[in-house]
Amino acid sequence: MLKIIILIACTLVGGVIGGMGMGGGTLTIPLLTIFCSLTQHEAQAINLVAFIPMAIVSLAIHIKNKRVKKEGLLWIIVPAVLTSVGGGFAAQAVNGEVLKRIFGGFLLLLSVVQFFSEEITEFLARH
């Protein structure tokens, strides 16, 4: 029972963070692997499944607030679906420990980019 409560708490925290616009998986996946003893593959799968309803609700809210430009959506959706499917097959083919290290490296890179985001934006604007 305690494991279920911890699992729900971890996914709720990830959902709230995801709803704020930051990728909830950056928090959910480590929480699930650390506190729920799930494998990297299991945590990533749960995160992806949990993302579907969050994305639907977020999209509905953004459409209601007229923040979605409908022209050109296929140029975003088609490559996103194809790379998601490809990434899923690639993740399945990789050992869990290697996948954990790749995800950790991604989180480190993401934190550096976030830390220097203002400087990066200014640099890109100048060049």
Side-chain angles (χ1 to χ4, degrees), residues 21-34:
M22 180 185 165
T26 59
L27 191 56
T28 304
I29 293 170
L31 289 173
L32 291 174
T33 57
I34 294 167

Side-chain angles (χ1 to χ4, degrees), residues 10 21 25 27 34 37 39 52 58 68 73 77 93 108-109 123 127:
C10 291
L27 191 56
I34 294 167
S37 302
T39 67
I52 294 169
S58 295
V68 176
L73 277 180
I77 293 171
L108 286 172
L109 179 63
F123 175 79
H127 294 89

Side-chain angles (χ1 to χ4, degrees), residues 56-73:
I56 291 169
V57 170
S58 295
L59 181 60
I61 291 169
H62 288 304
I63 288 173
K64 179 182 171 218
N65 292 332
K66 299 181 181 5
R67 295 189 179 186
V68 176
K69 294 181 181 179
K70 294 179 179 114
E71 56 278 346
L73 277 180

